[in-house]
Amino acid sequence: MSKTHALGLFSIIFTTVIWGLSFLSIKLALTILTPMNLAAIRFLIASIILTILYYFGVKKKKFDRKDIFKFLVTGVLGITLYFYFENSAMLYISAGSASLIIAVIPIITLIVDFIFFDFKIKKKHIFSVILSFIGVYYIVKNSAGTGDNIKGFIMMGGAVVTWVAY
């Protein structure tokens, strides 16, 4: 195995573990924080890190004034509303149920791209989405909560919709 291949594989595994742990972390943090406070703290930390990377990075890029509106819209959709819905939903459903619902995002994205952007869906796209969803299902099927509330599922649906719009 080449060094590049091993680094890529490690990166994928690392990202998957962090993503999976985020649902458990959210569930735990919501015992002491409100959904929006949790989101604000999370993005304050991310903003500090990204600002440091931006100012000390090798390639500095200038922002174009015409892009500010795009940044605002995507920030509201993909950050504020998405995490409002996700964090709030976690008050009502288990981390397993939440992660299973979020796993449909690639499926919904493919459908939206096909309908609105004339995206050509190939067999490999369908296979990848199905394989991903099956994998998530088997990982969380025994951890899905029996005490889940419909309000949590609706809020997770809101998270899916805002992320796809983003």
Side-chain angles (χ1 to χ4, degrees), residues 140-161:
V140 301
K141 75 176 185 172
N142 294 327
S143 65
T146 56
D148 289 344
N149 183 312
I150 188 68
K151 187 174 181 179
F153 289 108
I154 292 169
M155 297 198 83
M156 284 306 290
V160 169
V161 168

Side-chain angles (χ1 to χ4, degrees), residues 1-13:
M1 180 182 310
S2 72
K3 187 176 180 180
T4 305
H5 183 74
L7 180 61
L9 188 58
F10 172 77
S11 298
I12 291 169
I13 292 169

Side-chain angles (χ1 to χ4, degrees), residues 108-136:
I108 304 299
T109 302
L110 273 177
I111 292 168
V112 168
D113 284 350
F114 175 75
I115 293 171
F116 293 104
F117 301 108
D118 202 28
F119 181 77
K120 305 293 185 231
I121 298 175
K122 299 177 181 170
K123 289 180 184 178
K124 70 179 181 179
H125 296 123
I126 295 169
F127 177 74
S128 298
V129 166
I130 291 170
L131 187 62
S132 172
F133 191 75
I134 289 171
V136 171

Side-chain angles (χ1 to χ4, degrees), residues 44-121:
L44 176 64
I45 293 168
S47 295
I48 291 168
I49 292 169
L50 290 174
T51 300
I52 291 168
L53 291 174
Y54 175 76
Y55 283 108
F56 295 105
V58 177
K59 296 179 182 178
K60 291 185 180 179
K61 295 189 177 202
K62 301 273 184 200
F63 289 108
D64 198 345
R65 284 194 180 272
K66 66 179 178 166
D67 292 331
I68 291 174
F69 180 72
K70 292 177 189 175
F71 285 130
L72 289 174
V73 170
T74 57
V76 168
L77 284 174
I79 305 302
T80 307
L81 287 176
Y82 171 80
F83 281 103
Y84 166 75
F85 284 125
E86 181 182 277
N87 291 348
S88 297
M90 297 288 285
L91 294 171
Y92 304 102
I93 62 176
S94 69
S97 294
S99 63
L100 189 58
I101 293 166
I102 290 300
V104 303
I105 287 176
I107 298 167
I108 304 299
T109 302
L110 273 177
I111 292 168
V112 168
D113 284 350
F114 175 75
I115 293 171
F116 293 104
F117 301 108
D118 202 28
F119 181 77
K120 305 293 185 231
I121 298 175

